[in-house]
Amino acid sequence: MGPTAIRHFTVPQLLPALARKALFIARWGFRGAEGERLGEERLSRMLGFLRSRPPLFAPRGAWRRVAWRRTGEGTAFLLGREIAFPLYQGRRVLPPGEAGEAVAFAASATNGVFEDFLRALQTRGEAEAYHLWCGFAAELTDAAAAAVAAAAGVAGFRCAPGYPLLPDATANIAILRALDAGATLGVEAEATGMMRPEFSTAGLVFAPGGGA
């Protein structure tokens, strides 16, 4: 329905949207007051490291408005195919109505530079550093996705393929194709829906009233 918009970010721009609790607890396994202190300490060191060297990350995202049409209870036709949005914990992401707009988006935080950096950590046997940087990259990708949604002016329900609200991971293929993400972002999907680079995400945002 509309052109694809592309946005590039810097790490400092994304830090306000970085979910520190998710990073410290879910990604790094630091819990409690001491865990929060350790998390802030590690994060501060990593950010200092990033400031002292050429960029490791290249956060970027793209989005466009797409039309959807209801085809059944919890199913809709969009992006050239039918997609199911099952009821999960009493919630369904597909809004009421027979048709409307959604925003398709994709975001990634990494490129070949970071992948080379991770391989070097593995070669040197630096398992803890590898774990910390992978967790940071994952949360930075989520922060980029949130920034993309904000830049698109979207306020609504966000769902990502492969998760309960949109379990079909192959929907990533349709989303990335609609965004021409291979050319615009350097992000592609395999037949299973798994994306490359690894630290990438895609999804749909539906406004509660059916618009976007």
Side-chain angles (χ1 to χ4, degrees):
M1 291 185 64
T4 298
I6 305 164
R7 183 81 179 266
H8 294 265
F9 307 96
T10 65
V11 172
Q13 285 176 325
L14 295 179
L15 288 180
L18 190 75
R20 278 171 158 77
K21 182 174 290 188
L23 177 62
F24 298 164
I25 298 175
R27 304 290 185 183
W28 290 352
F30 297 155
R31 289 175 170 78
E34 179 63 12
E36 184 176 355
R37 185 192 67 78
L38 287 173
E40 291 290 352
E41 179 184 284
R42 297 292 196 282
L43 180 59
S44 178
R45 289 181 186 175
M46 293 166 74
L47 294 176
F49 175 79
L50 291 177
R51 288 191 292 268
S52 70
R53 55 155 293 133
L56 269 183
F57 295 98
R60 59 211 183 273
W63 68 92
R64 69 177 297 183
R65 293 178 182 271
V66 298
W68 63 267
R69 173 175 51 82
R70 185 179 299 278
T71 56
E73 182 64 28
T75 61
F77 186 86
L78 70 163
L79 301 170
R81 56 169 291 184
E82 187 173 76
I83 298 177
F85 301 91
L87 193 67
Y88 177 71
Q89 294 183 347
R91 176 184 175 189
R92 197 191 306 277
V93 72
L94 193 65
E98 295 303 310
E101 289 184 6
V103 167
F105 72 90
S108 184
T110 65
N111 52 25
V113 176
F114 183 70
E115 291 174 353
D116 289 343
F117 175 72
L118 287 183
R119 279 192 289 269
L121 292 178
Q122 286 182 305
T123 299
R124 295 196 298 266
E126 298 182 32
E128 181 183 6
Y130 181 89
H131 171 70
L132 293 175
W133 281 108
C134 283
F136 179 76
E139 288 304 323
L140 190 67
T141 299
D142 283 349
V148 165
V154 182
F157 301 128
R158 192 174 81 184
C159 58
Y163 289 88
L165 291 172
L166 203 178
D168 183 0
T170 65
N172 278 326
I173 300 171
I175 293 170
L176 297 185
R177 184 184 299 120
L179 297 172
D180 193 17
T184 58
L185 301 176
V187 177
E188 298 179 339
E190 300 176 357
T192 60
M194 183 178 294
M195 290 183 287
R196 291 285 182 267
E198 178 182 355
F199 297 101
S200 303
T201 187
L204 298 164
V205 185
F206 294 89

